[in-house]
């Protein structure tokens, strides 16, 4: 563990950057934003202006093609790559996705983007219908990732401890209040606090997901450790707890040679045993064997001779 500690410390800055395996949603989304930002900077100005106006989430587009503009407006960065939203997108979404996963990040981002957009544009349409605002208010340029980004900021602070969360929320709230006081884009400036609140509202869900991911990782580590021990026991490199390795070839992992037992000899029949003994006695004493043979014959012929 001590040898791996420097490697973990050196790998922490790398975890701030998205990668296709660990943070696929943030990685591929960042590539799309990079492409649209480069095209907005170096593409044909007339074409870029037409695309931005077609992607605007104003009241007129929301009344006719709501799904199209809600998705298309999130494919552009207001201000391009030089905007602070670009850096905030990479850092915040990468940190959040590593804790709760890509699906939760996508849900939080899209939820804040849609909720803040509708909460700011629907009142404009109602006021135009009531005659309080001119019809030109229905056609305005409104696009970017700021609503979704602030929703992810709120969800990420919900995972912090109380003191760091309070510091982050105080700093972000101060910036939002300054934008409201500047009164440059009232609708967008009011939508930013709403998006932040929507991210904070998702705090219980992301906290539950984070605890689940941490529990699953700890169980996987425990399972890998037990599998390694069982494999060592099975392969003979170690014995179970409380037992000692036997001495001899088996302790070194060398199995003993198997020996084939010899087949037992079949017992001889009684008649064969008598015949063998008679032949062995005949070989040792031929005269005795002949006398024995003649005596038996003469005994049988004895009465005839008499």
């Amino acid at each position: 563990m001590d040898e791996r500690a420097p490697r973990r410390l050196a790998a922490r800055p790398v975890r701030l950057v998205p990668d296709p395996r660990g943070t696929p949603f943030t990685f591929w989304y960042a590539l799309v934003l990079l492409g649209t930002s480069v095209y907005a900077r170096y593409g044909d100005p007339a074409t870029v202006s037409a695309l931005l106006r077609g992607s605007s989430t104003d009241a007129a587009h929301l009344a006719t093609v709501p799904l199209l503009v809600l998705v298309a407006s999130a494919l552009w960065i207001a201000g391009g790559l030089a905007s602070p939203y670009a850096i905030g997108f990479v850092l915040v979404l990468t940190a959040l996705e590593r804790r709760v996963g890509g699906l939760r990040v996508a849900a939080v981002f899209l939820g804040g983007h849609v909720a803040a957009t509708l909460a700011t544009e629907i009142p404009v349409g109602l006021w135009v219908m009531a005659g309080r605002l001119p019809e030109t208010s229905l056609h305005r340029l409104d696009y970017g990732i700021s609503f979704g980004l602030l929703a992810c900021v709120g969800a990420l602070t919900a995972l912090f401890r109380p003191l760091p969360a309070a510091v982050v929320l105080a700093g972000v709230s101060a910036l939002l209040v300054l934008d409201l006081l500047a009164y440059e884009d009232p609708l967008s400036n009011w939508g930013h606090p709403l998006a932040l609140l929507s991210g904070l509202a998702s705090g219980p869900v992301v906290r539950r997901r984070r605890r689940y991911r941490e529990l699953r990782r700890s169980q996987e580590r425990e399972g890998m450790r037990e599998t390694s021990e069982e494999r060592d026991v099975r392969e003979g490199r170690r014995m179970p707890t409380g037992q000692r390795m036997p001495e001899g070839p088996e302790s070194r992992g060398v199995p003993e040679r198997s020996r084939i037992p010899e087949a037992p000899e079949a017992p001889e029949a009684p008649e064969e045993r008598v015949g063998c003994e008679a032949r062995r006695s005949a070989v040792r004493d031929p005269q005795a064997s002949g006398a024995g043979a003649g005596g038996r014959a003469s005994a049988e012929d004895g009465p005839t001779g008499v």
Side-chain angles (χ1 to χ4, degrees):
M1 296 297 292
D2 296 337
E3 295 176 357
R4 290 194 296 267
R7 298 181 182 178
R8 292 180 180 178
L9 294 176
R12 284 181 181 177
V14 181
R15 294 177 61 84
L16 300 176
V17 181
D19 60 271
R21 189 172 182 178
T23 56
F25 174 76
T26 306
F27 180 81
W28 296 111
Y29 196 0
L31 287 184
V32 173
L33 294 175
L34 177 62
T36 56
S37 300
V38 171
Y39 182 76
R41 177 67 178 83
Y42 299 102
D44 181 39
T47 305
V48 172
S49 178
L51 289 175
L52 292 178
R53 291 188 178 277
S55 303
S56 176
T57 53
D58 51 23
H61 282 146
L62 289 175
T64 55
V65 283
L67 296 179
L68 177 62
V69 294
L70 284 173
V71 174
S73 62
L75 303 179
W76 306 89
I77 300 178
L81 297 177
S83 172
Y85 294 120
I87 301 176
F89 175 87
V90 173
L91 297 179
V92 173
L93 266 72
T94 300
L96 184 60
E97 187 172 0
R98 291 193 185 279
R99 288 167 173 80
V100 300
L103 294 178
R104 298 298 192 285
V105 173
V108 171
F109 185 92
L110 294 177
H113 177 72
V114 173
T117 300
L118 297 179
T120 54
E121 293 296 339
I122 290 178
V124 172
L126 295 177
W127 285 5
V128 170
M129 293 175 60
R132 301 252 181 122
L133 289 175
E135 291 187 0
T136 55
S137 300
L138 298 176
H139 306 278
R140 54 185 297 273
L141 197 60
D142 186 13
Y143 64 92
I145 60 172
S146 58
F147 290 166
L149 175 60
L150 285 170
C152 291
V153 170
L156 184 62
T157 54
L159 301 177
F160 292 166
R161 294 181 179 179
L163 181 58
V167 172
V168 173
L169 289 177
V172 174
S173 300
L175 294 177
L176 298 182
V177 170
L178 292 177
D179 290 340
L180 286 173
L181 295 177
Y183 207 73
E184 295 178 356
D185 190 356
L187 291 181
S188 297
N189 294 338
W190 277 109
H192 291 158
L194 296 177
L196 182 64
L197 291 176
S198 69
L200 290 173
S202 65
V205 178
V206 295
R207 281 194 293 267
R208 190 181 306 113
R209 178 62 179 175
R210 181 187 181 183
R211 288 194 295 268
Y212 171 75
R213 287 171 66 91
E214 292 177 351
L215 178 61
R216 187 176 63 178
R217 289 174 181 174
S218 62
Q219 290 177 351
E220 289 177 355
R221 288 194 295 266
E222 292 295 332
M224 292 175 62
R225 187 178 303 114
E226 292 176 359
T227 303
S228 175
E229 293 178 358
E230 293 176 355
R231 184 172 59 253
D232 292 342
V233 171
R234 185 178 65 256
E235 295 178 358
R237 290 194 294 267
R238 58 178 300 175
M239 293 293 293
T241 305
Q243 299 184 15
R244 295 182 178 180
M245 292 292 291
E247 297 181 358
E250 294 182 354
S251 62
R252 296 187 296 272
V254 180
E256 294 184 354
R257 292 184 177 180
S258 59
R259 298 180 179 179
I260 301 176
E262 297 179 356
E265 296 181 356
E268 297 179 356
E271 298 179 356
E272 295 180 355
R273 186 180 301 109
V274 173
C276 292
E277 292 179 356
R279 285 194 295 271
R280 284 197 295 269
S281 61
V283 172
R284 287 195 300 268
D285 193 0
Q287 296 179 357
S289 61
R296 188 176 54 188
S298 61
E300 292 177 356
D301 297 336
T304 307
V306 175

